[in-house]
Amino acid sequence: MAEISYKVLVADDEYWTREKIRNMLNWQEYHMEFLEPAQDGEEVLARMESDSPDILITDINMPFVNGVELVEQVKEKYEDVVIFVISGYDDFEYVKRTLVAGAINYLLKPVTKIDLVNALSKALEIISRQKENKNLILKAASLIQDSELSILLEREEPAFVPSITMNGNMDFAGCSLMLIKIHDMKAMMKEYQYDRNYLSYTLKKKIRDVMDMDNLLIFNYLYRSNEFVIITESENEEQKKMAVKILGIFREMTDSPVSIIVSEHSYSMESIHSAYTQCISMLMTRKYKKESAILFSRKQDESVHRKLEEVISEEMENKLKSLLKTGNAAGIRQTVFETLGIRHSEKEEWEYIRVKQMVRRVCNLFMDYQTRQNVTKDIIDLENMMEMADKTIESLDVEKLCGVLEEVIQSIVNMPGEEAGGSIREMVRESVAYIDANFFEELSLASLSERFGVESSYYSRIFRQETGKNLMLYIAEKRVCKAKEYMQDATINLAEVAFMVGYDDYTYFNRVFRKMTGISPRDYRNSVTESRAYEK
């Protein structure tokens, strides 16, 4: 990313338009230089040689040199410059002439952030065809889209109300949000060498290609890298066809189950956050099994909002409390995995929300017990593992989920130690070395115990006994430690850092980092920056 630095020149005779575009983005964050804007076409021509812009965004109606003449003259002498024109509603015939002259596309006035983001992303893709560092440029093109469009999904109202995309063809009145969620992204992360932006770019391009819609509005949610969002104005039948085609892409790329959820129609981009929330609610109703699913949200579907019955009876709660008091680990496992049925949730076709509520209720019972023991470190450790259990639910992998819950049980039940022979100690040392070298990969109790040929509950217990640390927390500590190293490089954004150390969800990484360090990733990076500034 540090190698990329492209210059953007904006030309418009209206001061407020120039300043609006200047302030729309944090240009340096995307390694772009926003040149001092030009007031007319003559100024552009006078500055082309000295300023050497890579991207020119120019109004059509300016004094002295009009848009068509400007585009013709710039392209004649500087053919590699990517040009977009800014047009009013009554300029379409004039726009056609600028396109023939060499402009790539046009932005409709008033220029909105979404228009600008799409234009810049497109420009970088075009520039990549001419440069040696093609992949770096494509990743930058992907990042600017993902970063800026992800704001649409945040709770805060966006500071802009885009009404039209770069190509001027999408009407946001009556559009829907299509959420694509990849439930287990680990294999894909490894295949793309933990390069978030290149994986994001590749998947978006594959989706655009199969949809045969070059200007399809699609982005990768920056804070949850395993989620892609498409804004579509297609009707239900067309949306179903789109969803089936998209599932076909992912079947070729990964064994992970994928959920595609389509919201009801929205009526402005301001309601996109509500549409996203609706899709997440609908996701909770899917079957908890390792297979892909397509779901459509509907107002009349009350299942999303209904309150489920209490997942654990008072009798079962009392039984678990009694087993916890006596330290009966075997009894706790039997109750949680078999009697309550978590191990059989896929076979019995539980809904996602039932699994989530069951795990949360069990973990809350464990936390109540641990809190009464009044051991601060154990409580903090348990909180971290509860976060892991909640995140693991997302994988739709019952075996993996049970492995994390096994770790939770091991951590709260003080089982008597046992003398570990030399071979066992050596196995633990090999485990630690393997984790230290591969902390960013898919590491779970099930996969590690299988790798080292030991029964999972015994492996968990002996690892904790020999290292003094819970297995999953040890892995998380290694990831956080490495993340701190990556954060020293200010050119790598925090979502990329999370991805590089093995997290496909920045929001989850943020919680893990904060609990283990007492500070957020952003505050940690700011402290590093301030420290360096002080040293200078």
Side-chain angles (χ1 to χ4, degrees), residues 312-327:
I312 302 180
S313 67
E314 185 177 349
E315 180 184 355
M316 282 295 104
E317 282 193 14
N318 291 333
K319 181 178 179 180
L320 267 177
K321 289 175 183 177
S322 176
L323 291 167
L324 286 165
K325 286 178 183 178
T326 58

Side-chain angles (χ1 to χ4, degrees), residues 224-239:
R224 293 192 174 89
S225 298
N226 64 347
E227 293 181 1
F228 288 76
V229 173
I230 297 175
I231 308 299
T232 171
E233 54 184 345
S234 303
E235 296 301 325
N236 280 1
E237 286 305 312
E238 186 61 31
Q239 288 170 352

Side-chain angles (χ1 to χ4, degrees), residues 257-400:
V258 174
S259 293
I260 299 180
I261 312 103
V262 184
S263 75
E264 296 174 274
H265 272 40
S266 302
Y267 298 99
S268 77
M269 290 299 278
E270 291 177 298
S271 59
I272 290 302
H273 170 70
S274 298
Y276 173 75
T277 303
Q278 184 184 70
C279 287
I280 293 298
S281 296
M282 196 66 193
L283 175 67
M284 296 296 105
T285 68
R286 66 151 291 157
K287 299 299 182 185
Y288 195 78
K289 54 173 55 182
K290 291 176 72 174
E291 62 181 35
S292 296
I294 301 173
L295 302 92
F296 284 81
S297 298
R298 298 178 181 84
K299 276 184 179 177
Q300 63 269 29
D301 191 347
E302 298 297 327
S303 63
V304 178
H305 307 287
R306 72 178 185 273
K307 183 177 180 180
L308 295 183
E309 297 177 4
E310 190 63 41
V311 291
I312 302 180
S313 67
E314 185 177 349
E315 180 184 355
M316 282 295 104
E317 282 193 14
N318 291 333
K319 181 178 179 180
L320 267 177
K321 289 175 183 177
S322 176
L323 291 167
L324 286 165
K325 286 178 183 178
T326 58
N328 187 340
I332 295 170
R333 286 194 208 97
Q334 175 68 27
T335 303
V336 171
F337 297 142
E338 306 299 333
T339 308
L340 293 177
I342 290 178
R343 195 180 297 281
H344 307 292
S345 53
E346 179 173 4
K347 184 179 179 182
E348 295 177 3
E349 297 193 334
W350 287 18
E351 285 187 341
Y352 191 114
I353 192 170
R354 184 179 175 188
V355 176
K356 197 172 183 70
Q357 289 185 337
M358 178 70 79
V359 170
R360 185 167 294 174
R361 186 68 190 117
V362 167
C363 286
N364 284 341
L365 284 170
F366 291 163
M367 179 56 75
D368 289 343
Y369 169 78
Q370 198 76 306
T371 302
R372 285 195 293 273
Q373 309 310 303
N374 203 27
V375 181
T376 303
K377 181 183 181 302
D378 289 346
I379 293 171
I380 294 172
D381 285 353
L382 182 56
E383 284 179 346
N384 287 327
M385 282 187 286
M386 286 171 65
E387 290 271 12
M388 292 177 190
D390 194 59
K391 172 62 178 171
T392 304
I393 292 169
E394 190 176 296
S395 68
L396 302 177
D397 189 324
V398 174
E399 182 181 7
K400 201 177 293 182

Side-chain angles (χ1 to χ4, degrees), residues 30 113-115 117-118 143-154 160 217-222 269 272:
Y30 304 113
K113 183 185 278 192
I114 198 168
D115 295 332
V117 165
N118 281 340
L143 175 61
I144 191 171
Q145 274 190 322
D146 294 345
S147 297
E148 296 298 331
L149 299 184
S150 289
I151 296 171
L152 296 171
L153 304 187
E154 298 302 293
F160 60 98
L217 183 56
I218 174 173
F219 60 96
N220 187 191
Y221 189 12
L222 187 68
M269 290 299 278
I272 290 302

